[in-house]
Amino acid sequence: MKQVVEHQSDVLVIGSGAAGLTLALHLAEKSKVILLSKGPLSEGSTYYAQGGIASVFDEEDTIESHVADTLVAGAGLCDEPVVKFTAENAKAAMQWLITCGVAFDKEETPPGSTAEAPYHLTREGGHSHRRILHAADATGKEVQVTLQDQARNHPNITVLERYNAIDLITTRKLNRPGNRVQGAYIWNRDAEHVETVRARFVALATGGSSKVYQYTSNPDIASGDGIAMAWRSGCRVANMEFNQFHPTCLYHADARNFLLTEALRGEGAYLRRPDGTRFMPEFDERAELAPRDIVARAIDYEMKRLGSDCVYLDITHKPADFIIKHFPTIYKRCLELGIDITKDPIPVVPAAHYTCGGVMTDLHGQTDLNGLYAIGEVAYTGLHGANRLASNSLLECLVFARAAAEDIESQLNKIPMPGSIPAWDESQVSNSDEEVVIAHNWHELRLFMWDYVGIVRSDKRLERALRRCAMLQQEIQEYYSNFRVSNNLLELRNLVQVAELIIRCAMERKESRGLHYNIDHPHKDESPKPTILQPD
């Protein structure tokens, strides 16, 4: 008989990127925190974020300008008070990171100068000013490593690595009064058994769901776990149709997930057809600095029109030392693959990159379920609208983690520790003898999502996708009911649920706006609203 393992903490934080780490570190001053990581602590989208974090540091820039740029990129669907809240709290969040030891790049000062060097600010697509703080082209890595080192060494934070969250435990599921989160069932990947966490509060910081697509810039863990778990627990989701496809993912057999930061275009890189001609000026007056949805659709159009496998990102007209200094990670990685970016254009394709929708929350990150918070990419706050502005993603993680921490701290003395929770029951399941079913369903799901619910959609494609999704859901649920859990099964179960939510949201939106483009509804509605789905 397997040992029953139960953990207990004031707060369970599921996810260990910028959002989860920031929340854990803020809460740990006054409470006990369990930080759950599906893989190694560093394996998440934060670690791979290259570009930077948007915040007003330049005297010529303004919070109002940051707000305006975000609203324009969001194509009429941003929640303006949320945008203002985020922009107004950006600088404090950044200063906290700096206090933690995050080393953002600074300008060079003249020899002999004793003045403190200002931060080097770059500009990215959709921004009207230089306001992106960065650490070369590996900002996410700098943030992740700095914060995770502090979390590991904090006496009030218990880090559990290589654990999958299976499902949230609620009073409703336990047939107790009300509906409040009580903790979660988690799967220990190394010991291969299910454990229980009791907690007064639970925060989802699980990132997005881009793994639902065949081609993605995200790490393998981005499987929509938090969105699916929240939905199964009765939380609303919104705007799941808005999936951002990053325009420039490296096109190479040995580097399928390697992203080429938007800062390359911010510093003057051009997009070129295979024959060397530029094409972005033909699609938008902002050319390469247009918002990501416009750039991704332009690349997709040119590739399909020309029958080309890729287009090219070219920064060779800049000095070699400038390129190497500003983009050392990209320079090194491409050189390993035989591409010298100081001399050669870089082959690129669009790839699924960011989930703009998610679990609905308020300004404190609180969801529809009492005690459950969602922060970062897993959440729908209203900040991003129909398209996320570059470098607002890590910013959202930081601002809303701090807001959630304040809200949780204000309730710590009011909420008792949940009572006993039943152990996970495996008495009616057996070990899988058909892993090929998971592999086949996994491939089918990601392929039809790419083909039917990708950069360009149609009503017929969405209808086909929903029918296939329903068939897969039935198969996967039957499999889940009969066999012991595994990492691939848990991720597939969550991905197929998120796929359904994406498709249903896309079918409800009878217009084209931002990241959602439907050839059967090419025009914009005059009074757009968020697409909100409510569980049965």
Side-chain angles (χ1 to χ4, degrees), residues 123-309:
R123 182 183 172 195
E124 296 182 350
H127 288 274
S128 57
H129 291 81
R130 286 182 172 266
R131 67 167 67 99
I132 314 302
L133 277 79
H134 63 101
D137 60 350
T139 307
K141 181 179 179 180
E142 172 69 16
V143 171
Q144 179 73 32
V145 171
T146 302
L147 297 186
Q148 75 183 28
D149 286 350
Q150 296 193 15
R152 283 193 190 280
N153 295 314
H154 201 293
N156 283 344
I157 298 176
T158 300
V159 176
L160 297 180
E161 292 181 275
R162 292 184 55 77
Y163 276 80
N164 293 61
I166 301 175
D167 264 321
L168 299 170
I169 302 167
T170 65
T171 50
R172 183 175 294 171
K173 291 178 182 177
L174 297 174
N175 294 315
R176 295 173 183 169
N179 194 27
R180 182 178 180 87
V181 72
Q182 305 283 278
Y185 289 114
I186 61 175
W187 186 64
N188 184 327
R189 295 172 67 171
D190 294 326
E192 295 192 348
H193 66 73
V194 178
E195 302 171 7
T196 305
V197 180
R198 277 195 292 156
R200 295 194 275 170
F201 300 88
V202 176
L204 300 171
T206 53
S209 54
S210 288
K211 199 175 177 181
V212 77
Y213 288 102
Q214 185 176 18
Y215 302 108
T216 175
S217 65
N218 284 193
D220 283 342
I221 64 168
S223 50
D225 302 331
I227 297 170
M229 285 190 292
W231 175 259
R232 290 194 292 265
S233 298
C235 296
R236 292 171 299 163
V237 301
N239 279 14
M240 291 296 293
E241 71 270 38
F242 297 113
N243 298 279
Q244 189 175 81
F245 290 80
H246 197 287
T248 53
C249 196
L250 180 64
Y251 180 70
H252 195 285
D254 296 331
R256 62 185 179 87
N257 285 3
F258 190 69
L259 192 69
L260 295 161
T261 174
E262 190 152 345
L264 277 161
R265 286 178 283 129
E267 295 296 345
Y270 296 132
L271 282 163
R272 300 187 186 276
R273 301 180 180 96
D275 66 3
T277 57
R278 288 179 67 193
F279 56 88
M280 277 311 303
E282 300 168 23
F283 289 86
D284 193 282
E285 62 183 11
R286 292 163 290 188
E288 281 81 5
L289 289 178
R292 288 176 177 176
D293 58 318
I294 294 171
V295 179
R297 271 201 305 277
I299 294 173
D300 183 67
Y301 177 85
E302 288 296 317
M303 286 170 56
K304 288 176 178 173
R305 183 178 71 85
L306 298 170
S308 174
D309 292 330

Side-chain angles (χ1 to χ4, degrees), residues 514-527:
L515 301 167
H516 172 76
Y517 188 81
N518 187 326
I519 57 176
D520 293 318
H521 308 281
H523 304 295
K524 290 182 180 179
D525 284 348
E526 291 185 6
S527 303

Side-chain angles (χ1 to χ4, degrees), residues 180 199-200 412-419:
R180 182 178 180 87
R200 295 194 275 170
L412 274 172
N413 297 327
K414 305 173 186 175
I415 305 298
M417 184 63 65

Side-chain angles (χ1 to χ4, degrees), residues 387-413:
N387 185 18
R388 175 177 69 82
L389 181 66
S391 290
N392 269 354
S393 53
L394 288 177
L395 176 61
E396 182 184 38
C397 293
L398 299 166
V399 168
F400 281 87
R402 287 161 57 88
E406 290 176 4
D407 199 55
I408 292 171
E409 282 180 354
S410 71
Q411 304 175 61
L412 274 172
N413 297 327

Side-chain angles (χ1 to χ4, degrees), residues 413-441:
N413 297 327
K414 305 173 186 175
I415 305 298
M417 184 63 65
S420 62
I421 291 172
W424 184 260
D425 183 8
E426 286 190 334
S427 61
Q428 304 299 314
V429 297
S430 61
N431 289 322
S432 169
D433 58 357
E434 289 289 340
E435 285 289 322
V436 68
V437 174
I438 294 179
H440 177 81
N441 287 351

